[in-house]
Amino acid sequence: MTLSVLATAFLLLVTLGYSVKCWLSPFGDCRKCHGMGHALTVDREGKAKRGKDCRRCQGAGKRIRVGRHLYNRAHHTYRAGTR
């Protein structure tokens, strides 16, 4: 097998794997709060306590994946163009 065929097969495998992941689990953890939905702060005694809600996910802890977002936009454009 040549290197180009191997590279193409690898890229195809990665793309299909990410597509399946976006299909099965369209939402992933927020990258800023790591899925907690809020920040952790430390009080004067050194104990951890809940901080402010995350501004990116509005406290939900989940965000839509990039691949699913692109799919939703393409699907919306297709549906709007075929009315």
Side-chain angles (χ1 to χ4, degrees):
M1 250 202 284
T2 64
L3 187 58
S4 61
V5 173
L6 191 61
T8 303
F10 176 73
L11 289 175
L12 184 64
L13 182 68
V14 169
T15 303
L16 288 176
Y18 185 69
S19 299
V20 169
K21 186 170 186 164
C22 288
W23 178 55
L24 294 176
S25 177
F27 295 97
D29 288 340
C30 177
R31 293 183 301 272
K32 185 174 183 183
C33 65
H34 305 289
M36 292 185 64
H38 56 82
L40 288 177
T41 59
V42 180
D43 61 2
R44 292 182 183 188
E45 298 174 1
K47 296 179 182 176
K49 67 176 194 172
R50 182 186 170 108
K52 294 181 179 179
D53 284 345
C54 178
R55 290 188 295 172
R56 282 191 185 172
C57 63
Q58 285 81 35
K62 296 289 182 186
R63 293 200 42 175
I64 194 161
R65 294 187 193 276
V66 174
R68 186 61 185 209
H69 177 73
L70 292 174
Y71 171 77
N72 288 348
R73 297 282 289 196
H75 184 71
H76 176 74
T77 302
Y78 174 78
R79 297 286 284 175
T82 57
R83 287 187 183 151

